[in-house]
Amino acid sequence: MVEIEIDGKKVEVPAGSMVMDAANKLGTYIPHFCYHKKLSIAANCRMCLVEVEKAPKPLPACATPVSAGMIVKSASDKAVQAQKSVMEFLLINHPLDCPICDQGGECQLQDLAVGYGKMESRYEEEKRVVPPKAGSALVAMEEMSRCIHCTRCVRFGQEVAGVMELGMLGRGEHSEITTFVGEAVSSEMSGNMIDLCPVGALTSRPFRYSARTWELSRRKSVSPHDSTGANLIVQVKQGSVKRVLPLENEAVNECWISDKDRYSYEALDSAERLTKPMLKQGGEWKEVEWQVALEYVAHGLKNIKHEHGADSLAAYGTAHSTVEELALLKKLMHGVGSENVDFRLRQSDFALDGEVKPWLGMPIAELSSLQRVFVIGSFLRKDHPLFATRIRAAVKAGGQLSVLHAADAENLINTANKIIAAPSDWLAALSGVVAAVAKAKGVAAPAGFEGAAASAEAQAVADSLVSGERKAVFLGNAAVAHPEASKLHAAAQWIAEQTGAKLGYLTEAANTVGGYLVGATAKSAAPAFSQQKKAYVLLNAEPELDAANPQAARTALNAAEMVVVMSAFKHGMDYADVLLPVAPFAETSGSFVNAEGRLQSFNGTVKPAGDARPAWKVLRVLGNILGLGGFDYETSESIRDELFEKGVTDLSAKLNNAARRAPTAGAAGAATGLQRLADVPIYFADALARRSGPLLATVDGAAPKAHLSAAAAQQIGVKAGDKVEVKQGSGFAILEATIDAGLPANVVRVSAAHASTSMLGAMFGDITVAKAGEGK
């Protein structure tokens, strides 16, 4: 440790620290623009100049290393005069558009100009003008004349998001921040650059000119999307959500959020919002009062139970529903005598039920310090953007990432080892890693693995995992949805145990872990909609987009006598009998349990739209109408406190990734023909994101294409841009073909969760592709 003195106060900091770090530890504020605690040092704004004893001139606090006995003065006449001079330079070319600037009220330049700016400018020449840049549907770069070249946005792209989308051109007063030629900003983390910008050069395109910051009330919330559980500040004006920003929580999301977290609020005002209960009468939809709709549902459930038995009733929620909603959905179904309730709509292998309650296997913060990571079946960057930033940081610090997947997807992380294999060959590939680990550790391979041979890629993965410390093996969304998920788990568990790694799941949604904890799972689990029932209650679920097999879902729903849709949006109009408007996350209170087992509760930020009601209240009233006991809750907190010990937020002790299943060896090349690999695009994973106009206007919001290997395209006789007919089961889709060099020859990547592919079958399995006929 090194002791220095700042403004008469002594402080000890580690050797190699900068003066700025010491000042932060003391709580001494030094004005700055380019410095940010999460970014590398640029030292290009010079606003943090301080006086250092024996130094001939002021030095930048952000880039001056501490030395023993150093005496620093941050507010001496010499330091303040230097800071004022820098401010004068910064303001020379800055446009005087504070009255119309979106950054007004939260602008660092504006704030510091009050303390360090002069009353009048000595500069009389014309100010420079920088033309607007392309930006994106999310990030506006219309007023780049405001830019002060702090390069925070550039460094964020390179260091955190993993892609350099912005850079600086020119020199001197001709310098300007710009996108690459003809390119738009497309990172799934791009909105963070708006937060980082200390002036109004980068602004939120959806938020532009819609409100002034001082008009907004700020309310805490939690992201309802992926399993990070990012902490949010929801900003509201006149009962309407205007903006969503990150709430800093170093243990969860640091100070970042993904664009899905930031912009999905735009769906709250979607034209598809369901705001009144609706009944289908004589084939036509009519708005009705809540009492009428709920009595219709209760009467229908009772009748169908009486005629066909309780087992003919089923309820499906999604893992984007709160703990309280899933708990009451389960309680309602158990109350009417049915155990057919589940939230795992994309899962097809349930062999580990009762053994495993999957979770990350470690605190989220530990991801940043892992030395060896093996990720199995995950579109990591799109499935879990904030986990990807932490693993990216771990790799930049010297860690190694290994991947097993069916697509060489660009995670923007330096990947040491890759095994790219068709989904049917994943178990065989893992078997090779098992064999290599057994040989390297000098232990016997599990029974049945005697003939397993390690490829060069499998050997490299094993060598990586055997070396180093702080290791983890993760199963991703695609591995969980895989038809052999339980076998993949068993092999991954053996590898983790033998290499001293932690086994974890990159769980799919905001409340996947919570769904397991409240037991919203069927005892005799089978793939959703694989067994046809007479009545379905759907909570926040759009089966044609959320189910593992949309064809089976649609067939089951069309054959049912009653389908109840509880949703914030109008959908399922062709198969539903009643639509009940329930409130999305911004309009209700509740709790999510994130991947690390952290219980996070939140309150509603605005009133529900129209006659929409929180889903837990709807389920409570439905329970009362059905005459069930235990539905007397007054608040969502009372439901939560009945489920979990009051005040306890760490629920990881209740979770378990260890299964008793013995590993099973797999053989490669058993499947013939083309196989489907279905990703769930980042902005189609849940009901809110898939209705947010700004998100759908991005590259990731575009309609899916049929991704073919060069070999498959040549065999079919198509080239990029051609239309192809993709068939699976009883359905087909006409899609644009694109050539993907990162796919095995026999794999076709066709996204799920999109209307254009919702007529296809299972996410994995045989698929046929042919050139579309003329006129189609």
Side-chain angles (χ1 to χ4, degrees), residues 132-381:
K133 302 298 184 293
S136 71
L138 307 177
V139 180
M141 301 177 69
E142 305 292 335
E143 292 91 8
M144 294 307 292
S145 297
R146 299 172 184 164
C147 178
I148 60 170
H149 305 148
C150 69
T151 68
R152 281 183 178 182
C153 55
V154 178
R155 286 174 285 146
F156 171 82
Q158 288 177 292
E159 298 164 17
V160 181
V163 55
M164 185 176 175
E165 294 187 293
L166 299 179
M168 187 180 287
L169 289 177
R171 301 189 67 182
E173 73 165 331
H174 301 293
S175 300
E176 55 183 88
I177 299 289
T178 185
T179 56
F180 286 92
V181 181
E183 294 291 321
V185 175
S186 60
S187 165
E188 64 284 349
M189 298 286 288
S190 66
N192 293 290
M193 295 192 291
I194 301 166
D195 297 338
L196 287 170
C197 185
V199 294
L202 304 180
T203 54
S204 168
R205 196 176 292 279
F207 175 70
R208 270 169 70 83
Y209 302 140
S210 64
R212 303 303 261 155
T213 58
W214 52 85
E215 299 175 313
L216 301 171
S217 56
R218 293 160 171 77
R219 289 150 195 184
K220 296 179 182 178
S221 192
V222 178
S223 166
H225 301 297
D226 64 41
S227 58
T228 308
N231 290 197
L232 309 177
I233 297 172
V234 178
Q235 299 191 326
V236 176
K237 178 185 177 184
Q238 295 175 349
S240 177
V241 176
K242 292 293 183 184
R243 189 166 63 162
V244 173
L245 299 175
L247 175 62
E248 185 169 350
N249 186 335
E250 200 61 32
V252 180
N253 55 299
E254 300 175 273
C255 53
W256 317 123
I257 55 174
S258 71
D259 288 350
K260 181 159 64 169
D261 298 331
R262 187 181 299 269
Y263 294 108
S264 68
Y265 74 89
E266 285 281 318
L268 297 175
D269 297 322
S270 164
E272 294 180 46
R273 273 306 296 267
L274 178 63
T275 57
K276 289 275 290 184
M278 299 180 76
L279 277 181
K280 188 188 283 182
Q281 298 175 333
E284 291 187 11
W285 284 100
K286 295 182 179 177
E287 293 183 349
V288 296
E289 295 303 314
W290 268 106
Q291 189 70 21
V292 174
L294 291 175
E295 285 180 357
Y296 175 90
V297 172
H299 184 70
L301 291 175
K302 282 180 181 176
N303 274 1
I304 293 170
K305 177 185 176 183
H306 177 71
E307 292 178 14
H308 304 284
D311 191 53
S312 65
L313 310 177
Y316 290 114
T318 71
H320 301 283
S321 307
T322 66
V323 160
E324 294 81 0
E325 291 164 1
L326 289 176
L328 288 197
L329 185 67
K330 169 197 171 185
K331 196 170 188 177
L332 182 81
M333 295 310 290
H334 285 200
V336 295
S338 172
E339 293 190 345
N340 302 319
V341 58
D342 219 322
F343 67 93
R344 301 165 297 175
L345 302 188
R346 293 196 176 103
Q347 194 167 323
S348 56
D349 178 0
F350 296 88
L352 297 181
D353 264 24
E355 290 185 48
V356 170
K357 286 186 179 175
W359 69 298
L360 190 62
M362 63 181 69
I364 289 173
E366 279 189 22
L367 293 174
S368 304
S369 58
L370 291 172
Q371 292 182 355
R372 300 289 184 270
V373 185
F374 183 26
V375 177
I376 301 165
S378 175
F379 291 92
L380 181 62
R381 175 184 158 207

Side-chain angles (χ1 to χ4, degrees), residues 381-458:
R381 175 184 158 207
K382 303 298 183 182
D383 290 347
H384 300 94
L386 292 167
F387 290 171
T389 63
R390 287 190 181 269
I391 293 174
R392 189 174 296 119
V395 170
K396 289 183 73 171
Q400 290 181 6
L401 171 64
S402 302
V403 168
L404 166 60
H405 204 16
D408 192 2
E410 181 52 81
N411 286 317
L412 303 175
I413 305 173
N414 187 15
T415 306
N417 309 295
K418 295 177 183 176
I419 305 176
I420 306 301
S424 61
D425 293 335
W426 285 5
L427 185 57
L430 272 186
S431 300
V433 179
V434 167
V437 167
K439 183 178 178 183
K441 299 290 288 186
V443 298
F449 282 75
E450 295 79 11
S455 64
E457 293 85 357

